[in-house]
Coordinates of all heavy atoms in Angstrom, one line a residue:
M1 N -9.5 -22.2 2.1 CA -8.3 -21.4 1.9 C -8.6 -20.0 2.5 O -9.6 -19.4 2.3 CB -8.0 -21.3 0.4 CG -6.8 -20.4 0.2 SD -6.0 -20.7 -1.4 CE -6.9 -19.6 -2.4
K2 N -7.6 -19.5 3.2 CA -7.7 -18.1 3.8 C -7.2 -17.0 2.9 O -6.4 -17.3 2.0 CB -6.9 -18.1 5.1 CG -7.3 -19.0 6.2 CD -6.5 -18.7 7.4 CE -6.9 -19.6 8.6 NZ -8.2 -19.2 9.1
S3 N -7.8 -15.9 3.0 CA -7.4 -14.7 2.3 C -6.9 -13.7 3.4 O -7.6 -13.4 4.3 CB -8.5 -14.0 1.5 OG -8.9 -14.9 0.5
I4 N -5.6 -13.3 3.2 CA -5.0 -12.4 4.3 C -4.7 -11.0 3.6 O -4.0 -11.0 2.6 CB -3.7 -13.0 4.8 CG1 -3.9 -14.5 5.2 CG2 -3.2 -12.1 5.9 CD1 -4.9 -14.7 6.4
L5 N -5.3 -10.0 4.2 CA -5.0 -8.6 3.7 C -3.8 -8.0 4.5 O -3.9 -8.0 5.8 CB -6.2 -7.7 3.9 CG -6.1 -6.3 3.4 CD1 -5.8 -6.2 1.9 CD2 -7.3 -5.5 3.8
L6 N -2.8 -7.6 3.8 CA -1.6 -7.0 4.5 C -1.5 -5.5 4.1 O -1.0 -5.2 3.0 CB -0.4 -7.7 4.1 CG -0.4 -9.2 4.4 CD1 0.8 -9.9 3.7 CD2 -0.4 -9.5 5.9
P7 N -2.0 -4.6 4.9 CA -1.9 -3.2 4.6 C -0.4 -2.7 4.8 O 0.3 -3.2 5.7 CB -2.8 -2.5 5.5 CG -3.0 -3.4 6.6 CD -2.8 -4.8 6.1
T8 N 0.1 -1.9 3.9 CA 1.4 -1.4 4.1 C 1.6 0.1 3.7 O 0.9 0.5 2.8 CB 2.4 -2.2 3.2 OG1 3.8 -1.8 3.5 CG2 2.1 -2.2 1.8
D9 N 2.4 0.8 4.4 CA 2.8 2.1 4.0 C 4.3 2.2 3.7 O 4.9 3.2 3.6 CB 2.4 3.2 5.1 CG 3.1 2.9 6.4 OD1 3.8 1.9 6.5 OD2 2.9 3.7 7.3
F10 N 4.9 1.0 3.6 CA 6.3 0.8 3.2 C 7.2 1.1 4.4 O 8.4 1.3 4.2 CB 6.7 1.4 1.9 CG 5.8 1.1 0.8 CD1 5.0 2.0 0.2 CD2 5.8 -0.2 0.3 CE1 4.2 1.7 -0.9 CE2 5.0 -0.6 -0.7 CZ 4.2 0.4 -1.4
S11 N 6.7 1.2 5.6 CA 7.5 1.5 6.7 C 8.1 0.2 7.3 O 7.7 -0.9 6.9 CB 6.7 2.2 7.8 OG 5.7 1.3 8.3
G12 N 9.0 0.4 8.2 CA 9.6 -0.7 8.9 C 8.6 -1.5 9.7 O 8.6 -2.8 9.7
N13 N 7.7 -0.8 10.3 CA 6.6 -1.5 11.1 C 5.7 -2.3 10.1 O 5.3 -3.4 10.5 CB 5.7 -0.5 11.8 CG 6.5 0.1 13.0 OD1 7.4 -0.5 13.5 ND2 6.0 1.3 13.4
S14 N 5.4 -1.8 9.0 CA 4.6 -2.6 8.0 C 5.3 -3.8 7.6 O 4.7 -4.9 7.5 CB 4.3 -1.7 6.8 OG 3.4 -0.7 7.1
W15 N 6.6 -3.7 7.3 CA 7.4 -4.8 6.9 C 7.4 -5.9 8.0 O 7.3 -7.1 7.7 CB 8.8 -4.5 6.5 CG 9.7 -5.7 6.3 CD1 10.7 -6.2 7.0 CD2 9.5 -6.7 5.2 NE1 11.2 -7.3 6.5 CE2 10.4 -7.7 5.4 CE3 8.6 -6.8 4.2 CZ2 10.5 -8.8 4.6 CZ3 8.7 -7.9 3.3 CH2 9.6 -8.9 3.6
N16 N 7.6 -5.5 9.2 CA 7.6 -6.4 10.4 C 6.3 -7.2 10.4 O 6.2 -8.4 10.7 CB 7.9 -5.7 11.7 CG 9.3 -5.2 11.8 OD1 10.2 -5.7 11.1 ND2 9.5 -4.2 12.6
A17 N 5.2 -6.5 10.2 CA 3.9 -7.1 10.3 C 3.7 -8.1 9.1 O 3.2 -9.2 9.3 CB 2.8 -6.0 10.2
I18 N 4.2 -7.7 8.0 CA 4.1 -8.7 6.8 C 5.0 -9.9 7.1 O 4.5 -11.0 6.8 CB 4.6 -7.9 5.5 CG1 3.5 -6.9 5.1 CG2 4.8 -8.9 4.4 CD1 4.0 -6.0 4.0
A19 N 6.2 -9.7 7.5 CA 7.1 -10.8 7.8 C 6.4 -11.8 8.9 O 6.5 -13.0 8.8 CB 8.4 -10.3 8.3
Y20 N 5.8 -11.2 9.9 CA 5.2 -11.9 10.9 C 4.0 -12.8 10.4 O 3.9 -14.0 10.6 CB 4.7 -11.0 12.1 CG 3.9 -11.8 13.1 CD1 4.6 -12.4 14.2 CD2 2.5 -11.9 13.1 CE1 3.9 -13.1 15.1 CE2 1.9 -12.6 14.1 CZ 2.6 -13.2 15.1 OH 1.9 -13.9 16.1
A21 N 3.2 -12.1 9.5 CA 2.1 -12.8 8.9 C 2.5 -14.0 8.0 O 1.9 -15.1 8.0 CB 1.2 -11.9 8.1
L22 N 3.6 -13.8 7.3 CA 4.1 -14.8 6.4 C 4.6 -16.0 7.3 O 4.4 -17.2 6.9 CB 5.3 -14.3 5.6 CG 4.9 -13.3 4.5 CD1 6.1 -12.7 3.8 CD2 3.9 -13.9 3.5
R23 N 5.3 -15.7 8.4 CA 5.7 -16.8 9.3 C 4.5 -17.5 9.9 O 4.5 -18.7 10.0 CB 6.7 -16.3 10.3 CG 8.1 -16.0 9.8 CD 9.1 -15.7 10.9 NE 8.6 -14.7 11.9 CZ 8.8 -13.4 11.8 NH1 9.5 -12.9 10.8 NH2 8.3 -12.6 12.7
Y24 N 3.6 -16.7 10.4 CA 2.5 -17.2 11.2 C 1.6 -18.2 10.3 O 1.1 -19.2 10.8 CB 1.6 -16.1 11.7 CG 0.5 -16.5 12.6 CD1 0.8 -16.7 14.0 CD2 -0.8 -16.6 12.2 CE1 -0.2 -17.1 14.8 CE2 -1.8 -17.0 13.0 CZ -1.5 -17.3 14.4 OH -2.5 -17.6 15.2
F25 N 1.4 -17.8 9.0 CA 0.6 -18.6 8.1 C 1.4 -19.5 7.2 O 0.9 -19.9 6.2 CB -0.3 -17.7 7.3 CG -1.4 -17.0 8.1 CD1 -1.3 -15.7 8.5 CD2 -2.5 -17.7 8.6 CE1 -2.2 -15.1 9.2 CE2 -3.5 -17.1 9.4 CZ -3.3 -15.8 9.7
S26 N 2.7 -19.8 7.5 CA 3.6 -20.5 6.6 C 3.1 -21.9 6.4 O 3.3 -22.5 5.3 CB 5.0 -20.5 7.2 OG 5.0 -21.2 8.4
N27 N 2.3 -22.5 7.3 CA 1.8 -23.9 7.1 C 0.4 -23.9 6.7 O -0.3 -25.0 6.8 CB 2.1 -24.7 8.4 CG 3.5 -24.9 8.7 OD1 4.3 -25.0 7.8 ND2 3.9 -24.8 10.0
T28 N -0.2 -22.8 6.3 CA -1.6 -22.7 6.0 C -1.7 -22.3 4.5 O -1.0 -21.4 4.0 CB -2.3 -21.6 6.8 OG1 -2.1 -21.9 8.2 CG2 -3.8 -21.6 6.6
T29 N -2.6 -22.9 3.8 CA -2.9 -22.5 2.4 C -3.7 -21.2 2.4 O -4.8 -21.2 3.0 CB -3.7 -23.6 1.7 OG1 -3.0 -24.9 1.8 CG2 -3.9 -23.3 0.2
C30 N -3.1 -20.2 1.9 CA -3.7 -18.9 1.9 C -3.2 -18.0 0.8 O -2.2 -18.3 0.2 CB -3.6 -18.2 3.2 SG -1.9 -18.0 3.8
T31 N -4.0 -17.0 0.5 CA -3.6 -16.0 -0.5 C -3.4 -14.7 0.3 O -4.2 -14.2 1.1 CB -4.7 -15.8 -1.5 OG1 -4.9 -17.0 -2.2 CG2 -4.3 -14.8 -2.6
F32 N -2.2 -14.0 0.0 CA -1.9 -12.7 0.6 C -2.2 -11.6 -0.4 O -1.8 -11.7 -1.5 CB -0.4 -12.7 1.1 CG -0.1 -13.6 2.2 CD1 0.5 -14.8 1.9 CD2 -0.4 -13.3 3.5 CE1 0.8 -15.7 3.0 CE2 -0.1 -14.1 4.5 CZ 0.5 -15.3 4.3
Y33 N -2.8 -10.6 0.1 CA -3.1 -9.4 -0.7 C -2.4 -8.2 0.0 O -2.6 -8.0 1.2 CB -4.6 -9.1 -0.8 CG -5.4 -10.2 -1.5 CD1 -6.0 -11.3 -0.8 CD2 -5.5 -10.2 -2.9 CE1 -6.6 -12.3 -1.5 CE2 -6.2 -11.2 -3.5 CZ -6.7 -12.2 -2.8 OH -7.4 -13.2 -3.5
L34 N -1.6 -7.5 -0.8 CA -1.0 -6.3 -0.2 C -1.8 -5.1 -0.6 O -2.3 -4.9 -1.7 CB 0.4 -6.1 -0.8 CG 1.5 -7.1 -0.4 CD1 2.7 -7.0 -1.2 CD2 1.8 -6.9 1.1
L35 N -2.0 -4.2 0.4 CA -2.8 -3.0 0.2 C -1.9 -1.8 0.6 O -1.6 -1.7 1.8 CB -4.1 -3.0 1.0 CG -4.9 -1.7 1.0 CD1 -5.5 -1.4 -0.4 CD2 -6.0 -1.8 2.1
H36 N -1.6 -1.0 -0.4 CA -0.8 0.2 0.0 C -1.8 1.3 0.5 O -2.8 1.6 -0.1 CB -0.1 0.8 -1.3 CG 0.6 2.1 -1.0 ND1 0.3 3.2 -1.8 CD2 1.5 2.4 -0.1 CE1 1.0 4.2 -1.3 NE2 1.8 3.8 -0.3
V37 N -1.4 1.8 1.6 CA -2.2 2.9 2.3 C -1.4 4.2 2.3 O -0.2 4.1 2.6 CB -2.7 2.5 3.7 CG1 -3.8 1.4 3.6 CG2 -1.6 2.0 4.6
N38 N -2.0 5.3 2.0 CA -1.3 6.6 2.1 C -1.7 7.3 3.4 O -2.8 7.2 3.8 CB -1.8 7.5 0.9 CG -1.2 7.1 -0.4 OD1 -0.1 6.7 -0.5 ND2 -2.0 7.3 -1.4
P39 N -0.7 8.0 3.9 CA -1.1 8.8 5.1 C -2.0 9.9 4.7 O -2.0 10.4 3.6 CB 0.3 9.3 5.6 CG 1.2 9.2 4.4 CD 0.7 8.1 3.6
I40 N -2.8 10.3 5.7 CA -3.7 11.5 5.4 C -2.9 12.7 5.3 O -2.0 13.0 6.1 CB -4.7 11.6 6.5 CG1 -5.6 10.4 6.6 CG2 -5.6 12.9 6.3 CD1 -6.6 10.4 7.8
T41 N -3.2 13.5 4.2 CA -2.5 14.7 3.9 C -3.4 15.9 4.0 O -4.7 15.7 4.1 CB -1.8 14.7 2.5 OG1 -2.9 14.6 1.6 CG2 -0.8 13.6 2.4
E42 N -2.9 17.1 3.9 CA -3.8 18.2 4.0 C -4.8 18.2 2.8 O -5.9 18.6 3.0 CB -2.9 19.5 3.8 CG -2.1 19.9 5.0 CD -1.3 21.1 4.7 OE1 -1.7 22.0 4.0 OE2 -0.2 21.2 5.3
V43 N -4.4 17.7 1.7 CA -5.3 17.7 0.5 C -6.5 16.8 0.8 O -7.6 17.1 0.5 CB -4.6 17.2 -0.7 CG1 -5.5 17.1 -1.9 CG2 -3.5 18.2 -1.1
A44 N -6.2 15.7 1.5 CA -7.3 14.7 1.7 C -8.2 15.1 2.8 O -9.4 14.7 2.8 CB -6.7 13.3 2.1
I45 N -7.8 16.0 3.7 CA -8.7 16.3 4.8 C -9.4 17.7 4.7 O -10.0 18.2 5.5 CB -7.9 16.3 6.2 CG1 -6.7 17.2 6.2 CG2 -7.5 14.9 6.5 CD1 -6.0 17.3 7.5
T46 N -9.2 18.4 3.5 CA -9.8 19.6 3.3 C -11.3 19.4 2.8 O -11.6 18.3 2.4 CB -9.1 20.5 2.2 OG1 -9.1 19.8 1.0 CG2 -7.7 20.8 2.7
D47 N -12.1 20.4 2.8 CA -13.5 20.3 2.4 C -13.6 20.3 0.9 O -14.6 20.0 0.3 CB -14.3 21.4 3.0 CG -14.4 21.3 4.5 OD1 -14.3 20.2 5.0 OD2 -14.6 22.3 5.1
I48 N -12.5 20.7 0.2 CA -12.6 20.8 -1.3 C -12.4 19.5 -1.9 O -11.5 18.7 -1.5 CB -11.5 21.8 -1.8 CG1 -11.7 23.2 -1.1 CG2 -11.5 21.9 -3.3 CD1 -10.5 24.1 -1.3
D49 N -13.2 19.2 -2.9 CA -13.0 17.9 -3.7 C -11.8 18.1 -4.6 O -12.0 18.7 -5.7 CB -14.3 17.6 -4.4 CG -14.2 16.2 -5.1 OD1 -13.2 15.5 -4.9 OD2 -15.1 15.9 -5.9
Y50 N -10.7 17.6 -4.2 CA -9.5 17.8 -5.0 C -9.4 17.0 -6.3 O -8.6 17.3 -7.1 CB -8.2 17.6 -4.1 CG -8.0 16.2 -3.7 CD1 -7.3 15.3 -4.5 CD2 -8.6 15.7 -2.6 CE1 -7.1 14.0 -4.1 CE2 -8.4 14.4 -2.2 CZ -7.7 13.5 -3.0 OH -7.5 12.2 -2.6
S51 N -10.2 16.0 -6.4 CA -10.1 15.1 -7.6 C -10.4 15.9 -8.9 O -9.9 15.5 -9.9 CB -11.1 13.9 -7.5 OG -12.4 14.4 -7.4
Y52 N -11.1 17.0 -8.8 CA -11.4 17.8 -10.0 C -10.3 18.8 -10.3 O -10.2 19.3 -11.4 CB -12.8 18.5 -9.9 CG -13.9 17.5 -9.8 CD1 -14.6 17.4 -8.6 CD2 -14.3 16.8 -10.9 CE1 -15.7 16.5 -8.5 CE2 -15.4 15.9 -10.8 CZ -16.0 15.8 -9.6 OH -17.1 14.9 -9.5
N53 N -9.5 19.1 -9.3 CA -8.5 20.1 -9.4 C -7.1 19.6 -9.8 O -6.3 20.3 -10.2 CB -8.4 20.9 -8.1 CG -9.7 21.6 -7.8 OD1 -10.4 22.0 -8.6 ND2 -10.0 21.7 -6.5
I54 N -6.9 18.3 -9.7 CA -5.6 17.7 -9.9 C -5.6 16.9 -11.2 O -6.5 16.1 -11.4 CB -5.1 16.8 -8.8 CG1 -5.0 17.6 -7.5 CG2 -3.8 16.1 -9.1 CD1 -4.7 16.8 -6.3
E55 N -4.7 17.2 -12.1 CA -4.7 16.5 -13.4 C -4.3 15.0 -13.1 O -3.5 14.8 -12.2 CB -3.6 17.1 -14.3 CG -3.9 18.5 -14.8 CD -5.1 18.5 -15.7 OE1 -5.2 17.5 -16.5 OE2 -5.9 19.4 -15.7
P56 N -4.9 14.1 -13.8 CA -4.6 12.7 -13.5 C -3.1 12.4 -13.7 O -2.5 11.5 -13.0 CB -5.4 11.9 -14.6 CG -6.5 12.9 -14.9 CD -6.0 14.2 -14.7
L57 N -2.4 13.0 -14.7 CA -1.0 12.8 -14.9 C -0.2 13.2 -13.7 O 0.8 12.5 -13.3 CB -0.6 13.5 -16.1 CG 0.8 13.2 -16.6 CD1 1.0 11.7 -16.9 CD2 1.1 14.0 -17.9
I58 N -0.5 14.3 -13.0 CA 0.2 14.7 -11.8 C 0.0 13.7 -10.7 O 0.9 13.3 -10.0 CB -0.3 16.1 -11.4 CG1 0.1 17.2 -12.5 CG2 0.3 16.5 -10.0 CD1 -0.5 18.5 -12.2
T59 N -1.2 13.2 -10.6 CA -1.5 12.2 -9.5 C -0.7 11.0 -9.8 O -0.1 10.4 -8.9 CB -3.0 11.9 -9.5 OG1 -3.7 13.1 -9.3 CG2 -3.3 10.9 -8.4
E60 N -0.6 10.6 -11.1 CA 0.2 9.4 -11.5 C 1.6 9.6 -11.1 O 2.3 8.7 -10.5 CB 0.0 9.1 -13.0 CG 0.9 8.1 -13.5 CD 0.4 6.7 -13.3 OE1 -0.7 6.5 -12.9 OE2 1.2 5.7 -13.4
E61 N 2.2 10.7 -11.4 CA 3.6 11.0 -11.1 C 3.9 11.1 -9.6 O 4.9 10.6 -9.2 CB 4.1 12.3 -11.8 CG 4.1 12.2 -13.3 CD 5.2 11.2 -13.8 OE1 6.3 11.1 -13.2 OE2 4.8 10.4 -14.8
L62 N 3.0 11.7 -8.9 CA 3.3 12.0 -7.5 C 2.9 10.9 -6.5 O 3.5 10.7 -5.5 CB 2.6 13.3 -7.0 CG 3.0 14.6 -7.7 CD1 2.1 15.7 -7.2 CD2 4.5 14.8 -7.4
Q63 N 1.9 10.1 -6.9 CA 1.4 9.1 -6.0 C 1.6 7.6 -6.5 O 2.2 6.8 -5.8 CB -0.1 9.2 -5.8 CG -0.5 10.6 -5.1 CD -0.1 10.6 -3.7 OE1 -0.1 9.6 -3.0 NE2 0.2 11.7 -3.1
T64 N 1.2 7.4 -7.7 CA 1.1 6.0 -8.2 C 2.5 5.4 -8.5 O 2.9 4.3 -8.1 CB 0.2 5.9 -9.4 OG1 -1.1 6.4 -9.1 CG2 0.0 4.4 -9.8
K65 N 3.3 6.2 -9.3 CA 4.6 5.6 -9.7 C 5.5 5.4 -8.5 O 6.1 4.3 -8.5 CB 5.3 6.6 -10.7 CG 4.7 6.4 -12.1 CD 5.5 7.2 -13.1 CE 4.9 7.0 -14.5 NZ 5.7 7.8 -15.5
P66 N 5.7 6.3 -7.6 CA 6.6 6.0 -6.4 C 6.1 4.8 -5.6 O 6.9 4.0 -5.2 CB 6.6 7.3 -5.6 CG 6.1 8.3 -6.5 CD 5.3 7.7 -7.5
A67 N 4.8 4.7 -5.5 CA 4.2 3.6 -4.7 C 4.4 2.2 -5.4 O 4.7 1.2 -4.8 CB 2.7 3.8 -4.5
R68 N 4.3 2.3 -6.7 CA 4.6 1.0 -7.5 C 6.0 0.6 -7.4 O 6.3 -0.6 -7.2 CB 4.3 1.3 -9.0 CG 3.3 0.4 -9.6 CD 3.1 0.6 -11.0 NE 1.7 0.9 -11.2 CZ 1.1 1.7 -12.0 NH1 1.9 2.3 -12.9 NH2 -0.2 1.8 -12.1
K69 N 7.0 1.5 -7.4 CA 8.4 1.2 -7.2 C 8.6 0.6 -5.8 O 9.3 -0.4 -5.7 CB 9.3 2.4 -7.4 CG 9.4 2.9 -8.8 CD 10.3 4.1 -8.9 CE 10.4 4.6 -10.4 NZ 11.2 5.7 -10.5
K70 N 8.0 1.2 -4.8 CA 8.2 0.6 -3.5 C 7.6 -0.7 -3.3 O 8.1 -1.6 -2.7 CB 7.6 1.6 -2.4 CG 8.4 2.9 -2.3 CD 7.7 3.8 -1.3 CE 8.5 5.0 -1.1 NZ 7.9 6.0 -0.1
L71 N 6.4 -0.9 -4.0 CA 5.7 -2.2 -3.9 C 6.6 -3.3 -4.6 O 6.7 -4.4 -4.1 CB 4.4 -2.1 -4.6 CG 3.5 -3.4 -4.6 CD1 3.3 -3.9 -3.2 CD2 2.2 -3.2 -5.3
N72 N 7.2 -3.0 -5.7 CA 8.1 -3.9 -6.4 C 9.2 -4.3 -5.5 O 9.6 -5.5 -5.4 CB 8.5 -3.4 -7.8 CG 7.4 -3.4 -8.8 OD1 6.6 -4.3 -8.8 ND2 7.5 -2.5 -9.8
G73 N 9.8 -3.3 -4.8 CA 10.9 -3.6 -3.9 C 10.4 -4.5 -2.8 O 11.2 -5.4 -2.3
L74 N 9.2 -4.2 -2.3 CA 8.7 -5.0 -1.2 C 8.5 -6.5 -1.6 O 8.8 -7.4 -0.9 CB 7.4 -4.4 -0.7 CG 6.7 -5.1 0.5 CD1 7.5 -4.8 1.7 CD2 5.3 -4.6 0.6
L75 N 8.0 -6.7 -2.8 CA 7.7 -8.0 -3.3 C 9.1 -8.8 -3.5 O 9.1 -10.0 -3.3 CB 7.0 -8.0 -4.7 CG 5.5 -7.5 -4.6 CD1 4.9 -7.3 -5.9 CD2 4.7 -8.5 -3.7
K76 N 10.1 -8.1 -3.9 CA 11.4 -8.7 -4.0 C 12.0 -9.2 -2.7 O 12.7 -10.2 -2.6 CB 12.4 -7.8 -4.7 CG 12.1 -7.6 -6.2 CD 13.0 -6.6 -6.9 CE 12.6 -6.4 -8.3 NZ 13.5 -5.4 -9.0
K77 N 11.7 -8.4 -1.6 CA 12.1 -8.8 -0.3 C 11.6 -10.1 0.1 O 12.1 -10.9 0.7 CB 11.6 -7.7 0.7 CG 12.6 -6.8 1.2 CD 12.0 -5.9 2.2 CE 13.0 -5.2 3.1 NZ 12.4 -4.3 4.0

């Protein structure tokens, strides 16, 4: 059995790649894994370790919750 990793940033290009993979492997027994990837931002490319400066609740509200909503929409598609 194959394991297929499908990275997504919820863009149209990502959706096209996912749809293509689903069609390509439609006759193969496999497990698909979706991986949400974030674009690099200023915070991520600075020299400062921002994980100590940002409250976990803020990170949850700004990053995780919106991504979860988009992922649920993607799964419904």
Side-chain angles (χ1 to χ4, degrees):
M1 181 161 85
K2 293 185 179 288
S3 296
I4 311 295
L5 180 63
L6 302 171
T8 182
D9 61 358
F10 306 115
S11 67
N13 287 336
S14 291
W15 172 249
N16 290 339
I18 290 169
Y20 178 83
L22 292 173
R23 284 190 310 271
Y24 188 82
F25 292 105
S26 64
N27 296 322
T28 306
T29 303
C30 55
T31 303
F32 292 99
Y33 296 93
L34 290 172
L35 173 68
H36 173 237
V37 291
N38 285 325
I40 296 176
T41 63
E42 287 180 29
V43 175
I45 59 174
T46 61
D47 292 335
I48 301 170
D49 184 6
Y50 68 92
S51 62
Y52 295 109
N53 298 327
I54 298 175
E55 293 292 326
L57 188 57
I58 293 172
T59 304
E60 172 77 16
E61 291 296 320
L62 295 177
Q63 298 288 330
T64 307
K65 281 186 179 180
R68 237 183 238 148
K69 286 181 183 179
K70 289 179 180 179
L71 181 60
N72 286 331
L74 183 71
L75 291 173
K76 288 178 184 178
K77 257 184 162 176

